Amino acid sequence: MQAEGADNQGSEDRDFVASLEKGLLVIEAFDASRPRLTLSDVAKITGITRAAARRYLRTLTRLNYADFDGRHFSLSPRILRLGYAYLSSTALPTRLQPFLERISEETGESSSAAVLDGDDIVYIARSATRRIMSIGLGVGSRLPAYCTSLGRAILAYQPPDTVEAYLQRVRLEPRTPKTITDKDAFRAVLEATRQQGYAIVNEELEFGLRSIAVPLVLKNGQVTIALNISAQAARVPASEMEERFLPALQSAGEALRYTL
C-alpha cells in the first residue's frame, strides 16, 4: 500500500508546471547588470538549452513582455505588470511607507524596508533623501543578504537549519576589502545581531556606505521584514550610527509590530 504522504507528494509533482518555472527563470535572467542578453547568454544563465531558451524568449516577445533588436533581448515595460500585481495586492508597502518617511524626516537619512527572497533582500518600501550608492535603489531592487544590514537583521532571526542551508548555498564574495567572507565569522556576526537586536554594516557592501537595521518582529515572533537607515561614511562616523539612528528604527519597529 502506498503511504499517504507519498501520494500527496506525487500529486504535488503532477501539479508542478516545469515550463512555467523555466519561463520565470528566463525573465529573472535579466537584471540591472544584465539588461540586454543574447540567446546564448540566457541559455547559459538559466541552464536550459538554446532551443528551449529561444521558445521562451520568442513567446515573451510575442506577448510584448520582451523586445528583440535582432541580436539582443531585453525586457519591455509590460513586465512591470508582474511587479505591480504584488504591490497592488498587498497593503504592506503602503503601511510601511509613512513610518519610513517619519524616520527619514527625523534623521535626515534614507530609510528602507526589505524582505528576504531566496538569497537576496528585496526592497518593498523606501524613503530616499539623497542618492547614497553608486547604483540607484528603489522598490524591487535586490542586493545580497550577507553584506547588507537588512539581510543580516532578517537572517539572524531565522531557524539554525535555515541559516546553515543558506551558508551552504551562498558564496560570501568580497564586495569590498571589509566584507566578511569567512563563514564562521559570519555566523558570529549573526549571533551578535540577534543578541543586540540590530545589525550594522560598515562599508562591506560598498565603500563609503554605512547602514544599521532592526528586525521587524511580528506578533507571532517571526521576522520576515527589516527596517534600515543608510548614510554616507564621510558624513556619519561609525560611532554615531547607534546613537543617532537606532532609537528611530526601534520606535518604528515597535509601532509596526502591533499593526501588521
Side-chain angles (χ1 to χ4, degrees):
M1 173 184 265
Q2 185 178 38
E4 181 180 353
D7 183 65
N8 288 341
Q9 182 64 44
S11 175
E12 290 176 2
D13 289 343
R14 288 194 298 271
D15 290 338
F16 186 83
V17 183
S19 59
L20 177 58
E21 177 192 28
K22 292 177 181 176
L24 293 173
L25 285 175
V26 168
I27 292 174
E28 291 178 351
F30 297 88
D31 60 22
S33 63
R34 301 186 300 249
R36 301 172 67 248
L37 296 171
T38 64
L39 172 61
S40 297
D41 292 333
V42 172
K44 182 178 180 180
I45 293 168
T46 61
I48 63 179
T49 65
R50 281 175 52 88
R54 180 182 294 106
R55 291 196 299 273
Y56 292 118
L57 288 166
R58 290 298 188 185
T59 300
L60 289 170
T61 302
R62 179 76 64 86
L63 295 174
N64 295 321
Y65 283 107
D67 296 321
F68 182 56
D69 64 7
R71 175 172 171 75
H72 292 93
F73 291 89
S74 59
L75 297 180
S76 75
R78 187 184 179 94
I79 206 75
L80 291 172
R81 289 188 177 189
L82 304 181
Y84 183 73
Y86 166 76
L87 293 175
S88 61
S89 64
T90 177
L92 184 57
T94 301
R95 296 170 77 173
L96 290 169
Q97 193 64 39
F99 289 89
L100 296 181
E101 291 175 359
R102 189 178 309 158
I103 290 171
S104 292
E105 183 177 345
E106 292 176 3
T107 64
E109 304 293 345
S110 298
S111 61
S112 307
V115 297
L116 193 65
D117 180 36
D119 300 332
D120 299 330
I121 56 162
V122 178
Y123 287 79
I124 59 173
R126 181 162 167 78
S127 175
T129 59
R130 56 176 65 83
R131 181 164 176 166
I132 57 174
M133 293 186 64
S134 60
I135 60 172
L137 288 179
V139 173
S141 295
R142 306 176 71 93
L143 289 173
Y146 70 90
C147 56
T148 59
S149 61
L150 288 162
R152 291 181 185 178
I154 298 174
L155 283 170
Y157 287 80
Q158 303 312 301
D161 56 342
T162 299
V163 174
E164 287 305 312
Y166 168 81
L167 288 173
Q168 289 298 317
R169 294 191 308 270
V170 174
R171 181 184 176 189
L172 306 183
E173 298 181 346
R175 298 289 293 254
T176 77
K178 294 186 177 183
T179 308
I180 294 174
T181 57
D182 179 81
K183 293 189 176 181
D184 286 336
F186 186 76
R187 290 184 184 93
V189 166
L190 292 186
E191 178 59 28
T193 296
R194 189 180 181 95
Q195 291 295 324
Q196 64 193 15
Y198 59 91
I200 290 183
V201 168
N202 185 16
E203 298 187 280
E204 292 187 50
L205 174 65
E206 182 175 299
F207 273 127
L209 178 69
R210 295 189 175 113
S211 65
I212 183 170
V214 299
L216 183 50
V217 184
L218 302 180
K219 287 182 287 187
N220 61 8
Q222 294 185 341
V223 173
T224 58
I225 308 167
L227 311 176
N228 92 331
I229 295 174
S230 299
Q232 292 173 333
R235 291 188 297 101
V236 182
S239 59
E240 293 186 17
M241 295 294 290
E242 297 170 63
E243 180 181 352
R244 289 182 54 189
F245 303 148
L246 187 57
L249 288 171
Q250 290 175 327
S251 176
E254 277 299 308
L256 283 164
R257 180 174 185 173
Y258 300 101
T259 62
L260 296 181

